[in-house]
Amino acid sequence: PYEKLSQYSFFTGKLAELTPNERVLPYDLNSPLFSDYAHKARFVWMPEGTSAPYRPGEVLDFPVGTVRIKNFYFKADEQDALSEKRIIETRVLVNRGEEWEAFGYLWNEEQTEAVYEVIGDIQEVSWVDQTGVVRATNYIVPNKNQCKNCHLTGKKQIPIGPKIRNLNKTFRYPEGERNQLEKWAAEGYLSGYTLDAV
């Protein structure tokens, strides 16, 4: 893994704005897992010329070399759509073929960079929730081995969220709203998908 998140070139411009670079697709899930009240900004990148075959009911069979990027952040004020956000960590999951390997990156206070971290961390976070109440929690950044607590199937570490039913939703892209499955197919990231498939 790179020492710094910026070295991957997943994002362009100011790193904390999480503006995806070419072929890095943002996405969301219908049923996200709870993570200490944090929001998540998810992205996927696949090697040129590769795609995941459409298969309902199962986690997508991503090609070797696929990278999934999950950013965990908190908004200062949940009532304000334009509220500042604080990114705590970014998890980079790489498909090595036999299994997925996870690399964790901790963001600095200035929100200018995230650095590779193996041992994890605990960070105090506070925010105003949607009812105007000030909330606080100790956000746990898992160490490298703890990622397997959720992602281990048998003896292999695999993705658990990106199934067809979890991806079948509208997402707001810079060019406008579109169903994620249609977008993935249009970008060549999903093969064998047709509009009447789901």
Side-chain angles (χ1 to χ4, degrees):
Y2 287 122
E3 183 64 24
K4 299 178 180 179
L5 181 64
S6 60
Q7 292 176 270
Y8 290 96
S9 297
F10 293 139
F11 307 108
T12 182
K14 185 179 178 182
L15 190 61
E17 293 178 355
L18 301 179
T19 303
N21 217 329
E22 187 177 359
R23 292 186 52 77
V24 177
L25 272 182
Y27 71 96
D28 196 16
L29 300 176
N30 281 316
S31 301
L33 294 176
F34 176 76
S35 300
D36 290 344
Y37 302 98
H39 295 271
K40 299 175 188 176
R42 299 174 174 85
F43 300 84
V44 62
W45 176 89
M46 296 185 201
E48 190 79 36
T50 66
S51 62
Y54 175 82
R55 57 178 196 176
E58 300 178 61
V59 173
L60 289 178
D61 185 15
F62 291 99
V64 174
T66 296
V67 181
R68 294 173 56 234
I69 309 112
K70 292 196 297 183
N71 304 276
F72 296 75
Y73 68 92
F74 288 83
K75 290 183 177 180
D77 188 346
E78 296 280 359
Q79 301 175 107
D80 181 2
L82 301 178
S83 174
E84 289 187 3
K85 69 175 184 289
R86 175 187 168 195
I87 309 173
I88 305 296
E89 62 160 326
T90 296
R91 300 177 193 173
V92 175
L93 293 93
V94 182
N95 185 357
R96 298 297 196 192
E98 286 297 315
E99 67 173 341
W100 291 71
E101 190 169 4
F103 306 116
Y105 291 81
L106 281 179
W107 283 74
N108 59 20
E109 289 289 338
E110 298 78 20
Q111 298 285 277
T112 57
E113 186 62 89
V115 179
Y116 180 53
E117 181 60 72
V118 177
I119 62 174
D121 196 16
I122 298 177
Q123 296 196 15
E124 294 183 9
V125 183
S126 62
W127 70 97
V128 177
D129 70 15
Q130 294 181 349
T131 64
V133 176
V134 177
R135 304 286 299 273
T137 190
N138 287 323
Y139 179 86
I140 299 174
V141 179
N143 64 42
K144 188 173 178 64
N145 289 326
Q146 286 174 318
C147 289
K148 296 179 180 179
N149 290 344
C150 292
H151 291 271
L152 198 64
T153 298
K155 294 184 177 181
K156 295 182 179 181
Q157 188 170 226
I158 64 170
I160 54 178
K163 298 179 180 180
I164 291 296
R165 67 173 180 269
N166 240 349
L167 292 168
N168 187 19
K169 64 178 294 185
T170 299
F171 189 90
R172 185 183 296 278
Y173 299 97
E175 67 273 16
E177 292 188 348
R178 190 171 186 183
N179 181 279
Q180 291 185 137
L181 299 179
E182 293 178 21
K183 177 70 171 178
W184 282 42
E187 296 291 332
Y189 274 13
L190 184 62
S191 59
Y193 168 78
T194 58
L195 289 177
D196 58 353
V198 291

